[in-house]
Amino acid sequence: MSAHATAPHILILGGTTEARRLAAELTARGALRVTTSLAGRVTRPGAPQGEVRIGGFGGADGLADWLREHHVDAVVDATHPFAARITANAARAATSASVPLLVLRRPGWLPVEGDRWHPVPSLGAAADALPALGRRVFLTTGRLGLGAFAHLEDLHFVARSVEPPEPPMPTDLEVLLARGPFTVADELRLLRGRRIDVLVTKDSGGEATAAKLTAARELALPVVVVRRPPLPEGVTALPDVAAVVERLSRLEGPARTGLNRP
Ligand code: NAP
């Protein structure tokens, strides 16, 4: 039997920079088996460290079965703050399989002096707010959210996404395919060059895509900020990789043993 077959097994639900960092940090410790799970929607540069599995589990029950079959000792939900379905499934599956669950969520952005933010609860509410704020809109809400703006025929949209979007989407649309991180200089050039009146973003948090907020502030542009969906009841989030590693090292059971092994 390989050393890994007996090592404590950590499942990371991934798809974020933090998930990759956590996988690297945990595999570097050597005494753990680390599997990262990806939804498989976008092509990513390079695989995370450790083992990787790709594709849905088939809901919370499928995930619970996977946890049992693969003898998972702890789950870390390090998915994107707006990936609410997998987060809800992880909470249910961890409870039903009696596996400890930790949630890693980078903190949301906070407005600072000079920001002109319009917080809204959903993409639909963002679309409702737009006609009063401007005609040329920069959308950074991800390619899957473009449908929420498809009915706004009088507005011009510039949408940035990692992969090409698919309908439904606005008719007057320019698509920019790009992957962060972006600099403030990049964002100022884009906002000025496209004569943008208003920006729409989810409150994703993190450094990689925060430059657009600084650029919007410098140009005094309004920003419609879609608030995060709430975490499942009883779930509290840890803000960074260090906090997750620290909490794993305090869990009762095998995950802790693996982390504390010299
Ligand atoms: P979602 O709506 O919460 O999840 C939809 C379904 O996709 C889930 O029910 C699950 O299928 C599957 N899934 C999601 N994440 C998975 C993972 N890490 N491993 C295996 N299956 C997964 O998620 P989403 O918003 O479509 O996001 C998909 C992935 O992209 C997430 O992993 C997330 O971290 C990443 N991402 C999302 C955003 C965003 O804005 N939403 C941005 C950047 C990255 P089953 O029910 O069949 O298990």
Side-chain angles (χ1 to χ4, degrees), residues 116-120 125-141 149 152 154-160 187 190-192 194-201 212-213 215-217 219-226:
R116 295 177 56 201
W117 285 13
H118 298 258
V120 293
D128 292 345
L130 280 179
L133 294 172
R135 226 195 63 75
R136 298 179 62 84
V137 183
F138 181 34
L139 282 181
T140 62
T141 45
F149 304 92
L152 294 171
D154 295 338
L155 305 188
H156 172 74
F157 289 93
V158 177
R160 182 168 65 198
E187 303 294 45
L190 192 157
L191 294 174
R192 286 196 179 111
R194 301 289 192 299
R195 293 179 288 113
I196 296 298
D197 302 319
V198 53
L199 180 102
V200 184
T201 181
K212 62 191 170 193
L213 301 171
R217 186 185 318 129
L219 300 177
L221 295 183
V223 182
V224 179
V225 181
V226 182

Side-chain angles (χ1 to χ4, degrees), residues 12-16 37-39 41 44 53-60 63 78-80 82-87 89 141 144 202 204:
I12 301 172
L13 300 171
T16 57
S37 173
L38 300 172
R41 304 262 166 75
R44 290 181 182 273
R53 68 160 300 286
I54 293 178
F57 295 93
L63 177 53
T79 56
H80 191 271
F82 282 82
R85 189 131 43 102
I86 187 72
T87 290
N89 289 352
T141 45
L144 298 177
K202 295 179 187 169
S204 298

Side-chain angles (χ1 to χ4, degrees), residues 218-243:
E218 281 190 24
L219 300 177
L221 295 183
V223 182
V224 179
V225 181
V226 182
R227 282 193 290 260
R228 295 175 170 199
L231 284 170
E233 221 170 286
V235 171
T236 47
L238 299 164
D240 54 31
V241 168

Side-chain angles (χ1 to χ4, degrees), residues 110-116 217:
L110 290 172
V112 299
E113 175 97 29
D115 277 328
R116 295 177 56 201
R217 186 185 318 129

